[in-house]
């Protein structure tokens, strides 16, 4: 993935910075072990979400039981280890309920450049969504040396559970078993490994942290936080809210760049049409990758009209106002929450053409095409605001 507006992951292990942490994610959720052992439901869960969990060498005591769950609101990342005194200051800051230190970089997993985290499975699990935090088998798999990947990477990227994939940088890789599909709830983090595994790959130690600060406005907290962070360190909100207009209305066209002009709408639609027939490629955003995924197609088309959309669907959903599909107009984007591991997470996006038609890059094995609009799992339409995304 590439060229988003917010970039926080440092250049490490030979891989350039290419993504944002803040809204698109939802990644990782394994359910094996959540059903009573020995039941058909448990077997079905293991088969779908946790690969060969029974073969994992880690003992049941290798990972601590789930503790009190904390929602991460802010992520901080630096090129190298965060100073201990800085971490301590953040832990003691007003309103902070928890801080989890992690290793975070852009890395290569199964030939794809993704956000990669090294974590302590015993403590990090408490900062993940409920189904993920609950699954003991998932965290034992990670502790034993597996990589857990996002549902979208597995489903749309074609990376199979139980398969052996290379993980690391361009020069240094190790084969790892894909132990789970899961959701971490952190934008653009598509792979998680243990801290010890991360160190074996040469990743930085403790160069990032997740901060739970439930009663503070993330933007306000980040502004104060920057006063104590080392130079070169970045901080972003993990999952900023999607903007919904209070009245259900949006500004009039051509109102100081608030929404697209008629000319921009025509340009975006024309650009999208030029990609018809191109293959769906997970993470694809240009001819160089040989195809496009859903959000890569949107980024390409809107760029032709001078509008710089962020890279992923969940971030693109925040590129303007979310309105009901019944009010959608040509040039709006349509959004869906299709990821079964993260209900509510925007995982698919398409361009509305009007009269019940849209242009989309649907999924692996298909091509960019005109489709009839379907409303299953749809969360509405996005009226793009050029002023908002280009600021």
């Amino acid at each position: 993935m590439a060229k988003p507006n917010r970039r926080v992951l440092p250049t490490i292990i030979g891989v350039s910075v290419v993504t944002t942490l803040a809204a698109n994610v939802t990644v990782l959720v394994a359910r094996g072990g959540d059903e009573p052992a020995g039941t058909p439901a448990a077997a079905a869960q293991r088969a779908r979400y946790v690969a060969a969990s029974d073969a994992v060498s880690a003992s049941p005591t290798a990972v601590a039981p789930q503790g009190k769950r904390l929602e991460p609101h802010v992520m901080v990342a630096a090129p190298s280890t965060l100073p201990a005194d800085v971490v301590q200051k953040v832990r003691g800051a007003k309103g902070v309920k928890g801080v989890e230190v992690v290793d975070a970089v852009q890395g290569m997993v199964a030939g794809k450049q993704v956000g990669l985290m090294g974590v302590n499975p015993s403590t990090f699990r408490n900062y993940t969504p409920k189904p993920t935090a609950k699954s003991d088998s998932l965290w034992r798999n990670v502790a034993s040396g597996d990589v857990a990947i996002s549902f979208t990477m597995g489903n749309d990227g074609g990376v199979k559970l139980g398969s052996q994939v290379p993980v690391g940088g361009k020069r240094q890789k190790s084969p790892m078993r894909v132990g789970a599909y899961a959701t971490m709830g952190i934008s653009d983090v598509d792979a998680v490994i243990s801290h010890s595994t991360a160190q074996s790959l040469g990743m930085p130690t403790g160069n990032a942290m997740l901060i739970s600060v439930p009663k503070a406005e993330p933007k306000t907290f980040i502004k104060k936080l920057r006063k104590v962070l080392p130079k070169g360190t970045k901080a972003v909100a993990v999952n900023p809210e999607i903007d919904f207009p209070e009245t259900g209305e949006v500004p009039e066209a051509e109102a100081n760049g608030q929404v697209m002009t008629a000319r921009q709408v025509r340009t975006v639609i024309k650009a999208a049409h030029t990609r018809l027939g191109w293959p769906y490629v997970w993470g694809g955003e240009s001819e160089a990758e040989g195809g496009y995924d859903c959000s890569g197609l949107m980024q390409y088309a809107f760029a032709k009209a001078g509008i710089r959309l962020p890279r992923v669907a969940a971030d693109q959903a925040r590129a303007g106002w979310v309105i009901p599909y019944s009010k959608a107009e040509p040039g709006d984007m349509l959004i869906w929450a299709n990821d079964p591991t993260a209900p509510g997470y925007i995982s698919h996006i398409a361009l509305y053409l009007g009269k019940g038609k849209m242009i989309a890059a649907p999924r692996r094995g298909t091509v960019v095409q005109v489709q009839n609009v379907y409303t299953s799992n749809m969360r509405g339409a996005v009226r793009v605001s050029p002023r908002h995304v280009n600021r």
Side-chain angles (χ1 to χ4, degrees), residues 62-303:
V63 176
Q66 178 187 341
K68 181 181 179 181
R69 289 184 55 251
L70 295 171
E71 181 181 354
H73 300 96
V74 173
M75 180 169 182
V76 172
S80 57
T81 302
L82 290 166
D85 63 325
V86 170
V87 175
Q88 200 57 37
K89 286 181 181 178
V90 175
R91 289 188 192 279
K94 184 178 180 180
V96 172
K97 296 299 182 182
V99 173
E100 181 69 8
V101 177
V102 298
D103 317 317
V105 301
Q106 284 296 318
M108 300 296 291
V109 178
K112 297 290 186 178
Q113 197 168 23
V114 300
L116 174 65
M117 273 190 177
V119 307
N120 178 340
S122 293
T123 57
F124 177 77
R125 66 185 300 180
N126 298 322
Y127 288 79
T128 64
K130 187 176 181 180
T132 308
K134 184 180 179 182
S135 179
D136 290 328
S137 53
L138 162 61
W139 298 109
R140 287 202 299 270
N141 278 7
V142 171
S144 69
D146 284 356
V147 58
I149 67 170
S150 68
F151 174 84
T152 53
M153 184 177 186
N155 190 59
D156 294 334
V159 182
K160 296 181 179 180
L161 279 172
S163 63
Q164 293 285 328
V165 299
V167 178
K170 291 181 178 178
R171 297 181 181 87
Q172 182 181 356
K173 298 183 180 71
S174 295
M176 296 181 197
R177 189 185 67 154
V178 177
Y181 288 167
T183 193
M184 295 300 136
I186 304 169
S187 184
D188 264 1
V189 174
D190 278 286
V192 168
I193 55 180
S194 72
H195 174 72
S196 59
T197 302
Q199 299 319 291
S200 72
L201 294 175
M203 285 173 58
T205 300
N207 69 312
M209 58 182 165
L210 297 170
I211 306 168
S212 179
V213 54
K215 294 185 179 181
E217 168 61 40
K219 289 183 179 179
T220 302
F221 181 78
I222 289 172
K223 186 176 181 180
K224 295 178 180 178
L225 187 63
R226 288 191 176 122
K227 296 178 181 179
V228 302
L229 294 179
K231 186 176 181 180
T233 303
K234 296 185 178 181
V236 296
V238 172
N239 289 307
E241 295 293 329
I242 294 177
D243 293 329
F244 290 87
E246 293 181 3
T247 62
E249 302 296 331
V250 295
E252 294 296 326
E254 303 188 41
N256 299 318
Q258 288 272 39
V259 294
M260 295 192 296
T261 64
R263 182 176 181 179
Q264 285 177 311
V265 169
R266 290 194 298 270
T267 300
V268 169
I269 292 176
K270 181 179 179 181
H273 271 93
T274 67
R275 303 294 94 177
L276 290 174
W278 280 74
Y280 176 97
V281 174
W282 188 78
E285 58 184 14
S286 68
E287 295 181 13
E289 283 116 353
Y292 301 81
D293 62 13
C294 63
S295 55
L297 175 65
M298 297 301 99
Q299 192 179 54
Y300 170 85
F302 280 83

Side-chain angles (χ1 to χ4, degrees), residues 17-37:
V17 178
V18 289
T19 190
T20 166
L21 277 185
N24 170 33
V25 226
T26 135
V27 197
L28 292 119
V29 100
R31 299 179 187 271
D34 296 339
E35 294 286 351

Side-chain angles (χ1 to χ4, degrees), residues 328-344:
E329 298 178 359
D332 290 342
M333 296 187 295
L334 306 180
I335 55 177
W336 289 263
N338 291 329
D339 186 342
T341 71

